[in-house]
Coordinates of all heavy atoms in Angstrom, one line a residue:
L224 N 2.0 -6.7 7.4 CA 2.1 -5.3 7.7 C 0.8 -4.8 8.3 O -0.3 -5.2 8.0 CB 2.5 -4.4 6.5 CG 3.8 -4.8 5.8 CD1 3.9 -4.0 4.5 CD2 5.0 -4.6 6.7
Q225 N 1.0 -3.8 9.2 CA -0.2 -3.2 9.8 C -0.9 -2.2 8.8 O -0.2 -1.5 8.1 CB 0.1 -2.5 11.1 CG 0.3 -3.4 12.3 CD 0.5 -2.7 13.6 OE1 0.6 -1.4 13.6 NE2 0.4 -3.4 14.7
N226 N -2.2 -2.1 8.8 CA -2.9 -1.1 8.1 C -3.1 0.1 9.0 O -2.7 0.1 10.1 CB -4.2 -1.6 7.5 CG -5.2 -2.1 8.5 OD1 -5.1 -1.7 9.7 ND2 -6.2 -2.9 8.1
L227 N -3.8 1.1 8.5 CA -4.0 2.4 9.3 C -4.8 2.1 10.5 O -4.8 2.9 11.4 CB -4.6 3.4 8.4 CG -3.6 4.0 7.3 CD1 -4.4 4.9 6.3 CD2 -2.4 4.7 7.9
A228 N -5.6 1.1 10.5 CA -6.4 0.7 11.7 C -5.7 -0.1 12.7 O -6.3 -0.4 13.7 CB -7.7 0.0 11.2
G229 N -4.5 -0.5 12.4 CA -3.7 -1.3 13.3 C -3.8 -2.8 13.1 O -3.2 -3.5 13.9
K230 N -4.6 -3.2 12.1 CA -4.8 -4.6 11.8 C -3.6 -5.1 11.0 O -3.2 -4.4 10.0 CB -6.1 -4.9 11.1 CG -6.3 -6.3 10.8 CD -7.6 -6.5 10.0 CE -7.8 -8.0 9.5 NZ -9.0 -8.2 8.8
R231 N -3.1 -6.3 11.3 CA -2.0 -6.8 10.5 C -2.6 -7.6 9.3 O -3.4 -8.4 9.4 CB -1.1 -7.8 11.4 CG 0.2 -8.2 10.7 CD 1.2 -8.7 11.7 NE 1.7 -7.7 12.6 CZ 2.6 -6.8 12.3 NH1 3.2 -6.8 11.2 NH2 3.0 -5.9 13.2
V232 N -2.0 -7.2 8.1 CA -2.5 -7.8 6.9 C -1.3 -8.5 6.2 O -0.2 -7.9 6.1 CB -3.1 -6.8 5.9 CG1 -3.5 -7.4 4.6 CG2 -4.2 -6.0 6.6
S233 N -1.5 -9.8 5.8 CA -0.4 -10.5 5.2 C -0.6 -10.8 3.7 O -1.8 -10.9 3.2 CB -0.2 -11.8 5.9 OG -1.2 -12.7 5.6
S234 N 0.5 -10.9 3.0 CA 0.4 -11.3 1.6 C -0.2 -12.7 1.4 O -0.8 -12.9 0.4 CB 1.8 -11.2 1.0 OG 2.7 -12.0 1.7
A235 N -0.1 -13.5 2.4 CA -0.6 -14.9 2.3 C -2.2 -14.8 2.1 O -2.8 -15.7 1.5 CB -0.3 -15.7 3.5
E236 N -2.8 -13.8 2.7 CA -4.2 -13.6 2.6 C -4.7 -13.3 1.2 O -5.8 -13.4 0.8 CB -4.7 -12.5 3.6 CG -4.4 -12.8 5.0 CD -4.7 -11.6 5.9 OE1 -5.6 -10.8 5.5 OE2 -4.0 -11.4 6.9
M237 N -3.7 -12.8 0.4 CA -4.0 -12.4 -1.0 C -3.6 -13.4 -2.0 O -3.7 -13.1 -3.2 CB -3.3 -11.0 -1.2 CG -3.5 -10.0 -0.2 SD -2.4 -8.6 -0.3 CE -2.8 -7.7 1.2
S238 N -3.3 -14.6 -1.6 CA -2.9 -15.6 -2.5 C -3.9 -15.9 -3.6 O -5.1 -16.0 -3.3 CB -2.5 -16.9 -1.7 OG -2.2 -17.9 -2.5
G239 N -3.5 -16.1 -4.8 CA -4.3 -16.5 -5.9 C -5.0 -15.3 -6.6 O -5.7 -15.4 -7.6
K240 N -4.7 -14.1 -6.1 CA -5.2 -12.9 -6.7 C -4.2 -12.1 -7.5 O -3.0 -12.2 -7.2 CB -5.9 -12.0 -5.7 CG -7.1 -12.6 -5.0 CD -7.7 -11.6 -4.0 CE -8.9 -12.3 -3.2 NZ -10.0 -12.6 -4.1
I241 N -4.6 -11.3 -8.4 CA -3.7 -10.3 -9.1 C -3.5 -9.1 -8.1 O -4.5 -8.6 -7.6 CB -4.3 -9.8 -10.4 CG1 -4.4 -11.0 -11.4 CG2 -3.5 -8.7 -11.0 CD1 -5.2 -10.7 -12.6
L242 N -2.3 -8.9 -7.7 CA -2.0 -7.9 -6.7 C -1.2 -6.7 -7.3 O -0.2 -6.9 -7.9 CB -1.2 -8.6 -5.6 CG -0.9 -7.8 -4.3 CD1 -2.1 -7.3 -3.6 CD2 0.0 -8.6 -3.4
V243 N -1.7 -5.5 -7.0 CA -1.0 -4.3 -7.4 C -0.5 -3.7 -6.1 O -1.3 -3.3 -5.2 CB -1.9 -3.3 -8.1 CG1 -1.1 -2.0 -8.5 CG2 -2.4 -3.9 -9.4
V244 N 0.8 -3.6 -6.0 CA 1.5 -3.0 -4.7 C 2.2 -1.7 -5.1 O 3.2 -1.8 -5.8 CB 2.4 -4.0 -4.1 CG1 2.9 -3.5 -2.8 CG2 1.8 -5.4 -3.9
N245 N 1.7 -0.6 -4.5 CA 2.3 0.7 -4.8 C 3.0 1.2 -3.6 O 2.4 1.3 -2.5 CB 1.2 1.7 -5.2 CG 1.7 3.1 -5.5 OD1 1.7 3.9 -4.5 ND2 2.2 3.3 -6.6
F246 N 4.3 1.5 -3.7 CA 5.1 2.1 -2.6 C 5.1 3.6 -2.8 O 5.5 4.1 -3.8 CB 6.5 1.5 -2.7 CG 6.6 0.1 -2.5 CD1 6.4 -0.9 -3.5 CD2 6.9 -0.5 -1.2 CE1 6.5 -2.2 -3.3 CE2 7.0 -1.8 -1.0 CZ 6.8 -2.7 -2.0
W247 N 4.8 4.3 -1.7 CA 4.6 5.7 -1.7 C 4.9 6.4 -0.4 O 5.2 5.7 0.6 CB 3.2 6.1 -2.2 CG 2.2 5.8 -1.2 CD1 1.8 4.6 -0.7 CD2 1.4 6.8 -0.5 NE1 0.7 4.7 0.2 CE2 0.5 6.1 0.3 CE3 1.3 8.2 -0.5 CZ2 -0.5 6.7 1.1 CZ3 0.3 8.8 0.3 CH2 -0.5 8.1 1.1
G248 N 4.8 7.7 -0.3 CA 5.0 8.4 0.9 C 4.5 9.9 0.7 O 4.6 10.4 -0.4
L249 N 4.0 10.5 1.7 CA 3.6 11.9 1.6 C 4.7 12.8 1.3 O 4.5 13.9 0.8 CB 2.9 12.3 2.9 CG 1.6 11.7 3.2 CD1 1.1 12.2 4.6 CD2 0.5 11.9 2.2
W250 N 5.9 12.4 1.6 CA 7.1 13.2 1.3 C 7.5 13.2 -0.1 O 8.3 14.0 -0.6 CB 8.3 12.7 2.2 CG 8.5 11.2 2.0 CD1 8.0 10.3 2.8 CD2 9.3 10.6 1.0 NE1 8.4 9.0 2.3 CE2 9.2 9.2 1.2 CE3 10.0 11.0 -0.1 CZ2 9.8 8.2 0.4 CZ3 10.6 10.1 -0.9 CH2 10.5 8.7 -0.6
C251 N 6.9 12.3 -0.9 CA 7.3 12.1 -2.3 C 6.3 12.8 -3.2 O 5.1 12.4 -3.3 CB 7.3 10.6 -2.6 SG 7.3 10.2 -4.4
G252 N 6.7 13.9 -3.8 CA 5.8 14.7 -4.7 C 5.1 13.9 -5.8 O 3.9 14.1 -6.0
L253 N 5.9 13.1 -6.5 CA 5.3 12.3 -7.6 C 4.3 11.3 -7.1 O 3.3 11.0 -7.7 CB 6.4 11.7 -8.4 CG 7.2 12.6 -9.3 CD1 8.4 11.8 -10.0 CD2 6.4 13.4 -10.3
C254 N 4.6 10.7 -5.9 CA 3.7 9.8 -5.3 C 2.3 10.4 -5.0 O 1.3 9.9 -5.4 CB 4.2 9.2 -4.0 SG 5.8 8.4 -4.1
V255 N 2.4 11.6 -4.4 CA 1.2 12.3 -4.0 C 0.4 12.7 -5.3 O -0.8 12.7 -5.3 CB 1.5 13.6 -3.2 CG1 0.3 14.4 -3.0 CG2 2.1 13.1 -1.8
E256 N 1.1 13.1 -6.3 CA 0.5 13.5 -7.6 C -0.4 12.4 -8.2 O -1.4 12.7 -8.8 CB 1.5 14.0 -8.5 CG 1.0 14.6 -9.8 CD 2.0 15.3 -10.7 OE1 3.1 15.6 -10.1 OE2 1.8 15.5 -11.9
E257 N 0.1 11.2 -8.0 CA -0.6 10.1 -8.7 C -1.6 9.4 -7.7 O -2.4 8.5 -8.2 CB 0.3 9.0 -9.2 CG 1.1 8.2 -8.3 CD 2.0 7.2 -8.9 OE1 2.2 7.2 -10.2 OE2 2.5 6.3 -8.2
M258 N -1.7 9.8 -6.5 CA -2.7 9.2 -5.6 C -4.2 9.3 -6.0 O -5.0 8.4 -5.8 CB -2.5 9.8 -4.2 CG -1.3 9.3 -3.4 SD -1.3 7.4 -3.2 CE 0.0 7.0 -4.4
P259 N -4.6 10.5 -6.6 CA -6.0 10.5 -7.1 C -6.3 9.4 -8.1 O -7.4 8.8 -8.1 CB -6.1 11.9 -7.8 CG -5.1 12.7 -7.1 CD -3.9 11.8 -6.8

């Protein structure tokens, strides 16, 4: 997937690490609340 800078980042690059993946959106009130 592309990041905000337009660079494509793949899960393959993260192999061997503990990964926390959070799905969110600005339209989601609870998402925004936990962003801090």
Side-chain angles (χ1 to χ4, degrees):
L224 303 171
Q225 286 190 345
N226 61 18
L227 291 173
K230 177 183 177 181
R231 192 162 293 278
V232 178
S233 73
S234 54
E236 301 170 30
M237 307 171 189
S238 178
K240 297 184 181 295
I241 295 168
L242 183 61
V243 178
V244 185
N245 176 267
F246 294 86
W247 70 294
L249 292 177
W250 51 268
C251 167
L253 289 177
C254 301
V255 171
E256 186 172 338
E257 69 178 13
M258 284 301 107

